[in-house]
Amino acid sequence: MSAPRIVILPGDGIGPEIVAAARRVLDAVGQFSYSEHPLGGASIDAHGRALTDEVLRACREADAVLLGAVGGPRWDTTDPDAPRPEQGLLGLRKGLGLYANLRPVRPSASLLGASPLREERIAGTDLLVVRELTGGIYFGDSGRDGDRAHDDCVYTVAEIERIARVGFEAARGRRRRLTSVDKANVLETSRLWRETVIRLAADYPDVELEHMLADNAAMQLVSEPARFDVIVTDNMFGDILSDESAMLTGSLGMLPSASLGDGGPGVFEPVHGSAPDLVGAGTANPLATILSAALMLRHGLDMPAAAARVEDAVEAALARGVRTPDLAWVGSETPPMSDLPGEVEVGTEEMTAAVLDNLEG
Ligand code: IPM
Ligand code: MG
């Protein structure tokens, strides 16, 4: 059997640093062949566009794609005609038909103290955000006309059905509770969403379905996160609620994601961004990318045992007390991390080494 082909898209900012860390972890659990390509700002600099046809083709031919992060102030612009790094990411999602974005949130036992929520609130949280990724306001018609701008939100029944099925199926494999999040009290797309989800529910009598308005969901995620099992929602609400969910784990630096379509390679990437302010400091948290590599092993390469080994190795590293600076508690009453017993502040390199330690032998 030939080695699985992985396309690596480091992207911008800390992207190259964190994918390099994930690659070392991958090499400790298997044999892969890699090809690396620019995406986002790096691609704009090299080719004038955030995603080239060559790179999209390379991704299509791969078994899976591991992505760092895109964007940075260097390419920030409000000029509607200038290329933007984010177009690379959106083009990749659309071009590969990755309509289902899975963002699992399960705070590490060792990090409960790092959550901005009190420990008793966060304890027991284990949820999965299933975000629609190729439709809605992200991909509707948009434009500027003098002092007026618009972004259309469009969903079809077929688009809602396929993502809702991913949500129902995921719930089936978990605690059998599905929360469908919409804004049906205001938006027509949300009413179509709700109607469609209700109709599909007949096929999943074993899954307990509830509907929740997006603003209420934002509130419940901080007041009672452990009540959720699977959340299924549209592109925009999913973007917002998954950042909120990520912070429950104590740091945006911890949350991995998988973007999947029907067959074809998936894209695996951390939820956090390119953190331009951290570039070169050697302090970026590589764990979300390492955990994304684990999702790639499980959902993209059918290597569930290797995936579990990586996840266990991350947990063991955290249990040992190593913490990148982002995992520090920023509240006022807790002492600085360096004063907490058993915790030691480390950089990207040492965090990666701590994970690798648990994979050797
Ligand atoms: C995400 C990001 C992207 C999104 C940006 C970078 C375009 O925030 O993956 O959540 O909005 O989808
Ligand atoms: Mg986001």
Side-chain angles (χ1 to χ4, degrees):
M1 217 185 76
S2 60
R5 291 155 306 166
I6 299 176
V7 160
I8 303 233
L9 305 174
D12 309 316
I14 57 169
E17 302 168 38
I18 54 182
V19 294
R23 191 166 155 170
R24 288 171 63 195
V25 170
L26 283 168
D27 287 337
V29 296
Q31 284 204 337
F32 307 96
S33 81
Y34 303 99
S35 73
E36 215 169 284
H37 305 272
L39 179 78
S43 177
I44 293 175
D45 288 350
H47 306 289
R49 288 161 53 205
L51 171 65
T52 63
D53 295 342
E54 287 81 349
V55 172
L56 185 57
R57 196 171 327 119
C59 291
R60 284 205 180 107
E61 285 165 5
D63 294 307
V65 179
L66 184 67
L67 171 68
V70 297
R74 224 154 93 60
W75 304 279
D76 274 350
T77 166
T78 53
D79 174 358
D81 298 322
R84 279 172 293 111
E86 291 75 12
Q87 291 164 338
L89 190 54
L90 300 182
L92 192 66
R93 291 170 178 173
K94 197 69 168 179
L96 296 176
L98 307 174
Y99 63 87
N101 183 224
L102 312 184
R103 299 184 162 182
V105 180
R106 193 175 44 205
S108 151
S110 312
L111 289 183
L112 288 183
S115 172
L117 297 188
R118 285 201 303 277
E119 245 181 87
E120 63 269 26
R121 286 242 157 128
I122 188 71
T125 298
D126 178 1
L127 63 89
L128 173 68
V129 178
V130 176
R131 168 187 176 194
E132 201 290 325
L133 205 58
T134 50
I137 198 167
Y138 271 63
F139 292 95
D141 181 56
S142 68
R144 206 80 77 98
D145 183 12
D147 57 2
R148 206 173 158 273
H150 71 104
D151 298 276
D152 290 352
C153 183
V154 179
Y155 269 111
T156 65
V157 168
E159 285 175 312
I160 301 168
E161 274 182 359
R162 64 182 183 178
I163 191 68
R165 285 202 190 278
V166 173
F168 278 112
E169 297 288 345
R172 254 189 189 163
R174 298 171 43 105
R175 303 195 306 279
R176 294 174 186 272
R177 281 178 53 89
L178 181 65
T179 306
S180 173
V181 172
D182 61 35
K183 192 72 187 165
N185 55 345
V186 178
L187 303 175
E188 199 53 44
T189 42
S190 279
R191 286 189 280 271
L192 184 67
W193 180 281
R194 193 175 281 212
E195 220 175 86
T196 306
V197 172
I198 289 173
R199 186 160 37 72
L200 277 190
D203 294 348
Y204 303 89
D206 51 320
V207 175
E208 191 189 326
L209 171 68
E210 68 174 342
H211 304 275
M212 197 178 277
L213 298 175
D215 49 348
N216 185 21
M219 185 271 281
Q220 303 250 5
L221 272 170
V222 288
S223 66
E224 210 189 334
R227 75 184 292 294
F228 293 102
D229 181 12
V230 178
I231 294 173
V232 65
T233 190
D234 82 1
N235 206 342
M236 179 69 131
F237 298 143
D239 178 47
I240 297 167
L241 295 179
S242 61
D243 263 29
E244 188 188 3
S245 308
M247 196 60 213
L248 298 175
T249 63
S251 169
L252 208 48
M254 291 301 300
L255 198 65
S257 85
S259 303
L260 309 170
D262 289 322
V267 171
F268 302 85
E269 56 172 314
V271 169
H272 64 71
S274 59
D277 48 317
L278 296 186
V279 173
T283 56
N285 184 351
L287 294 182
T289 315
I290 290 171
L291 290 170
S292 298
L295 289 184
M296 177 173 78
L297 292 166
R298 179 174 295 114
H299 296 289
L301 300 174
D302 199 20
M303 298 173 67
R309 279 184 69 206
V310 171
E311 286 161 352
D312 291 348
V314 166
E315 197 54 50
L318 290 170
R320 206 208 267 180
V322 283
R323 301 282 184 268
T324 43
D326 57 299
L327 297 174
W329 165 244
V330 290
S332 54
E333 283 162 37
T334 310
M337 182 173 49
S338 52
D339 294 349
L340 290 176
E343 297 198 349
V344 45
E345 191 169 318
V346 299
T348 313
E349 167 65 34
E350 293 146 292
M351 182 59 100
T352 308
V355 175
L356 286 170
D357 269 357
N358 299 308
L359 289 171
E360 274 148 18

